[in-house]
Each structure stands twice: as structure tokens, then as C-alpha cells.
Amino acid sequence: MIEVVIVEDDPMVAMINQQFVERYGGFTIMAKVGSISELWDVLDKHEPDLLLLDVFLPKETGIDFLQTIRQKQLSIPSIMITAANDIPTIKRALEYGVIDFLIKPFTYERFTVAMEKFNQYYALTTKCKKTDQETLDQLLCQKGDTYGSVECGHGLASTLPKGLSKLTLKKVLCAIEQQTTAFSTEHISKIIGLSRISTKKYLLFLQEIGYLRTELHYLSVGRPITVFYIEKEKEEVIKSFK
């Protein structure tokens, strides 16, 4: 499991961040701290894979911490989560190499984009011995809403519409492949832990490229619902997304 430390002095916000991490899956909360001094106590014992780092903290700011670890020639991937929205603060955070910058309040969907960016960075820096220019350019330039899919030495397999990420699409496809009969948006959203609205965007994209077809399913009471079927003969169109 990928280890995360939440650095946030507001207990309510720290709890929300924790709930988002747990909902996203694949990560474990190593510690929750409310100051930079507490963070250093944690780092003295064990270095996490990722920091969810607030800017405004008692005595020292998150920006101060990023500056210090750069001076110490340390590197800890960080996603900055803060109410700070002034350009100088954002500029300094980006100069210190944060993975992403989330301005409070933010949605769970936007949080997943940041986590997917980290996943691609983590895959490239821990699993790949070599890469190519296309993959590296995608990672550094942050084209689109996510980094796309990092595959060692093979670049990005495909391009998705703005607002969709390849990692989430893989989760959707995995859930779909488990279905033996027609399925609804709500059913898939519960399986992958994504909102119904966001899930529907992925299903409609798969319909547009021909992998899914839809029908209206009439219930004994209430309005009909839209259900999806897999077009088995069109599986070729999703190979580049898997």
C-alpha cells in the first residue's frame, strides 16, 4: 500500500481528506499531523510516499517545509491542499515541484484527478527503469486533466476527452467486465466508488466509441431507466485503454 501523511491543522478538514483517501483506495494513512514540527517527527522515523500538505499551519507554512526539504536535497511527493488562492503562493508551490494544487473547497472528483496524477508519477519513478520522450513530456507538461497512462517506454496509448482519466476508465471497464447482464449507471458507480454523474460520463464515452449500447428498461412503477449492454464484437475499440 502507498503510504500517505496528511498535514492539516483543522481536524474537520483532515478528516475529510482522510475519507477521500480511503474512498479512493490503494493508499493507507500513515499519520495525520497538524504542524510542520509534528511532520518532522514522523519523517524522522519513516518517510511516506505522499504528503497531503496544507499551506497555512502554525509557526511554519507548507511552503516553508517544501523550501527546507529542497535545501536538504530531499524529495517527498506532495499534493498541496489549501485555501490559499493567491498567485505568488501557487507559483512557489509549483516551483517546488508539487504534484498538484487543490484549492478548498474541492470535490471528490477533483481530488481523484490529483491522486491519479500522483499514481502516474509514482509508476514512472518507482517501476520504470527507462522511459521515452512522449511519456516524459506528458508527465511534465500535465496535458489534460491527468497525466494519462504511464507505460515504461511506450508512451500514452490513447487520448481521452477532456475531464476523463485513463486510470478511472480502467476501473470502469473492470467493473463492466464483471457484468453478465444489462447494468445501470448507479450499479457501476457503487462498484467503483465514483459519483453517479462522473460514472455516467465514462459510460457515455464507451457508448460513443461503440463498446456499449443502451436500452430503456421499463419498471412496474416509476420512470424507465437506461441500461447498458456490452457489444462483444467491439472489444477492439477499448484495447488501447486497458
Side-chain angles (χ1 to χ4, degrees), residues 109 185 189 194-204:
E109 285 72 23
T185 300
S189 70
L194 192 64
S195 73
R196 186 178 176 279
I197 293 174
S198 295
T199 301
K200 188 172 183 179
K201 292 179 182 178
Y202 287 90
L203 296 181
L204 290 178

Side-chain angles (χ1 to χ4, degrees), residues 29-206:
I29 305 296
M30 179 178 144
K32 289 192 297 182
V33 298
S35 68
I36 298 302
S37 61
E38 291 177 4
L39 174 58
W40 281 117
D41 289 340
V42 172
L43 297 180
D44 285 341
K45 300 172 184 176
H46 184 67
E47 187 174 301
D49 300 300
L50 173 65
L51 296 178
L52 300 184
L53 181 63
D54 191 15
V55 170
F56 299 120
L57 295 161
K59 296 184 178 179
E60 293 181 86
T61 69
I63 299 293
D64 293 332
F65 171 78
L66 293 176
Q67 183 177 17
T68 299
I69 63 172
R70 170 167 287 194
Q71 292 169 348
K72 291 177 177 289
Q73 297 185 328
L74 299 174
S75 177
I76 305 175
S78 304
I79 295 173
M80 190 138 275
I81 299 179
T82 177
N85 59 3
D86 60 286
I87 296 303
T89 297
I90 295 172
K91 182 174 182 288
R92 289 186 67 195
L94 294 175
E95 287 174 347
Y96 290 138
V98 296
I99 298 293
D100 206 348
F101 196 106
L102 300 179
I103 298 176
K104 303 173 186 175
F106 52 89
T107 65
Y108 174 72
E109 285 72 23
R110 180 61 182 86
F111 177 82
T112 65
V113 171
M115 296 297 277
E116 286 161 9
K117 286 182 179 181
F118 167 77
N119 275 334
Q120 303 311 314
Y121 169 86
Y122 185 79
L124 180 66
T125 56
T126 63
K127 299 178 182 179
C128 300
K129 293 183 179 180
K130 295 182 180 181
T131 186
D132 57 25
Q133 189 66 56
E134 182 182 3
T135 303
L136 194 58
D137 286 347
Q138 290 285 346
L139 182 64
L140 295 177
C141 296
Q142 301 184 25
K143 293 180 180 179
D145 289 335
T146 67
Y147 292 133
S149 175
V150 173
E151 299 175 6
C152 305
H154 297 294
L156 295 183
S158 57
T159 302
L160 289 173
K162 182 177 177 61
L164 303 188
S165 76
K166 191 165 185 180
L167 187 61
T168 302
L169 180 58
K170 285 184 178 182
K171 293 180 181 180
V172 172
L173 288 170
C174 183
I176 289 173
E177 289 171 352
Q178 298 172 20
Q179 309 309 307
T180 56
T181 59
F183 53 89
S184 66
T185 300
E186 183 176 3
H187 182 65
I188 299 299
S189 70
K190 288 180 179 179
I191 293 175
I192 64 176
L194 192 64
S195 73
R196 186 178 176 279
I197 293 174
S198 295
T199 301
K200 188 172 183 179
K201 292 179 182 178
Y202 287 90
L203 296 181
L204 290 178
F205 167 70
L206 293 172

